[in-house]
Amino acid sequence: MSTVRVPDAVPTPEQDSEALRNAVQGWGTDEKAIIRVLGQRNASQRQSIREAYQQLYNESLVDRLFSELSGDFRTAVILWTLDPAERDAKLANEALTKKKRKIVDQLKPIIEIACATSPQHLMLVRKFYCILSNSSLEEAVSCTVSPPIRKSDATLLHDAIKKKKLDDQNLVWILTTRSFFQLRATFEFYKQNYGNPIDKDIKKCSSSDLSSILRMAVCCIDTPEKHFAEVVRASIVGLGTDEASLTRAIVSRAEIDMMKVRGEYFNANKSSLDNAVIGDTSGDYKDFLMTLLGAKI
């Protein structure tokens, strides 16, 4: 389901490190060389490259890339180069410290990390978050969101929704303590017995921020590919491009389920995700994103 094209014959981490060193030394920066190396390596290979680069040149590869690159291209390359859990901890920290007009938009990266990744990955994110911010992820979320969103009290999903009590404790307790497989089975059972998908009933119940957050969580748990297809669509629709959201979606899902995201995007919009990215981005930033989507640059 990954769209990243790793070559059949991969150079050693030392060789890749040398290629990256040559790309950032001297006058100017060879952005295409950086894209060729990092854009065609998986997470384990990128970790080996980071370690080899540090040993060979006694400097951080991420720090060097930060000093040599700029703009959205730099953001995408650095997020991709980081360990995935460290990357998500960085995204979570930025989401919680940079205030946005809507709490739903602010919490979107947190919901994606909590609901669309594995429990093992989430544990590593929490560890990196503590190192990064000297506080727990749970404490940061609790300090950021308003009481009606963090205190949710109910008993049964259907009863809570039927009574329009989305702040019932058990509703959120169920969403946050069951495994993905249990929740997907629960959502299917809900649809079969009550006639509608649970997210549609939640939407009918309320148009509040809490309703939006719960529907987003359900979608990330049940069909994450649909959620990220919508993130991509929303990032490029209308005037301007939300590069932060577009980068987050592609960088975080390229090695997980981007093939499915691409399919869902086409089903929903009757157009190509790749063409949408090409039409709304440019330069090295476009080339890097398209490399992660499997294009040959």
Side-chain angles (χ1 to χ4, degrees), residues 66-84:
F66 186 89
S67 67
E68 294 289 334
L69 307 179
S70 62
D72 298 314
F73 176 54
R74 176 172 69 183
T75 300
V77 169
I78 288 178
L79 287 175
W80 180 250
T81 304
L82 290 170
D83 177 274

Side-chain angles (χ1 to χ4, degrees), residues 69 98 207 209 235 266 282 296:
L69 307 179
K98 293 181 179 179
S207 60
D209 286 343
S235 71
F266 183 83
S282 61
K296 291 184 178 180

Side-chain angles (χ1 to χ4, degrees), residues 48-285:
S48 296
I49 293 170
R50 290 196 309 272
E51 293 170 352
Y53 191 95
Q54 179 71 46
Q55 291 178 350
L56 287 171
Y57 306 113
N58 196 32
E59 70 172 1
S60 163
L61 174 60
V62 171
D63 289 347
R64 187 58 185 262
L65 291 171
F66 186 89
S67 67
E68 294 289 334
L69 307 179
S70 62
D72 298 314
F73 176 54
R74 176 172 69 183
T75 300
V77 169
I78 288 178
L79 287 175
W80 180 250
T81 304
L82 290 170
D83 177 274
E86 184 177 3
R87 174 196 67 217
D88 282 352
K90 177 180 173 65
L91 288 171
N93 186 58
E94 289 177 353
L96 292 171
T97 55
K98 293 181 179 179
K99 302 296 183 182
K100 294 189 176 181
R101 286 180 297 175
K102 294 180 65 177
I103 188 68
V104 175
D105 292 336
Q106 187 176 1
L107 292 181
K108 186 175 290 185
I110 310 296
I111 295 168
E112 293 169 357
I113 294 164
C115 300
T117 63
S118 70
Q120 294 82 1
H121 179 79
L122 181 56
M123 288 179 65
L124 291 174
V125 172
R126 292 166 65 190
K127 175 183 175 182
F128 274 112
Y129 192 93
C130 285
I131 296 172
L132 183 65
S133 66
N134 201 31
S135 67
S136 74
L137 180 56
E138 295 88 338
E139 289 173 331
V141 171
S142 180
C143 291
T144 301
V145 301
S146 59
I149 295 174
R150 70 170 178 259
K151 295 178 185 175
S152 300
D153 305 341
T155 42
L156 296 171
L157 290 173
H158 182 253
D159 287 345
I161 294 169
K162 187 176 179 181
K163 295 174 183 176
K164 297 187 177 182
K165 290 186 176 181
L166 295 184
D167 58 347
D168 244 89
Q169 188 173 22
N170 221 30
L171 190 151
V172 172
W173 179 74
I174 290 172
L175 292 179
T176 56
T177 60
R178 301 291 192 262
S179 72
F180 288 166
F181 299 108
Q182 287 175 306
L183 285 169
R184 286 169 183 169
T186 298
F187 297 156
E188 181 61 28
F189 183 84
Y190 184 102
K191 182 179 179 180
Q192 290 175 356
N193 281 267
Y194 302 112
N196 287 323
I198 187 172
D199 56 328
K200 287 192 175 180
D201 279 353
I202 293 173
K203 186 175 183 178
K204 288 180 183 178
C205 172
S206 169
S207 60
S208 66
D209 286 343
L210 180 56
S211 171
S212 299
I213 290 169
L214 289 175
R215 284 187 286 116
M216 194 188 308
V218 167
C219 190
C220 283
I221 293 167
D222 197 30
T223 50
E225 60 273 14
K226 288 185 178 181
H227 169 79
F228 285 100
E230 173 57 21
V231 171
V232 172
R233 187 204 65 81
S235 71
I236 61 178
V237 71
L239 295 174
T241 304
D242 181 356
E243 288 86 356
S245 294
L246 181 62
T247 299
R248 187 181 77 246
I250 294 178
V251 167
S252 64
R253 306 311 286 190
E255 293 182 283
I256 300 175
D257 58 0
M258 186 50 71
M259 290 290 286
K260 284 188 173 183
V261 174
R262 179 185 277 150
E264 287 295 339
Y265 186 95
F266 183 83
N267 291 339
N269 303 286
K270 306 306 177 190
S271 60
S272 162
L273 182 150
D274 295 47
N275 288 342
V277 173
I278 290 171
D280 254 60
T281 58
S282 61
D284 296 318
Y285 177 56

Side-chain angles (χ1 to χ4, degrees), residues 10-25 29-30 33-39 41 44-62 64-65 68 81:
V10 179
T12 66
E14 290 74 20
Q15 290 171 328
D16 277 341
S17 295
E18 184 178 0
L20 291 170
R21 181 71 168 184
N22 291 336
V24 299
Q25 274 195 319
T29 303
D30 188 349
I34 293 172
I35 293 172
R36 283 195 302 271
V37 174
L38 294 175
R41 302 293 185 270
S44 176
Q45 292 163 341
R46 298 195 303 276
Q47 178 180 351
S48 296
I49 293 170
R50 290 196 309 272
E51 293 170 352
Y53 191 95
Q54 179 71 46
Q55 291 178 350
L56 287 171
Y57 306 113
N58 196 32
E59 70 172 1
S60 163
L61 174 60
V62 171
R64 187 58 185 262
L65 291 171
E68 294 289 334
T81 304

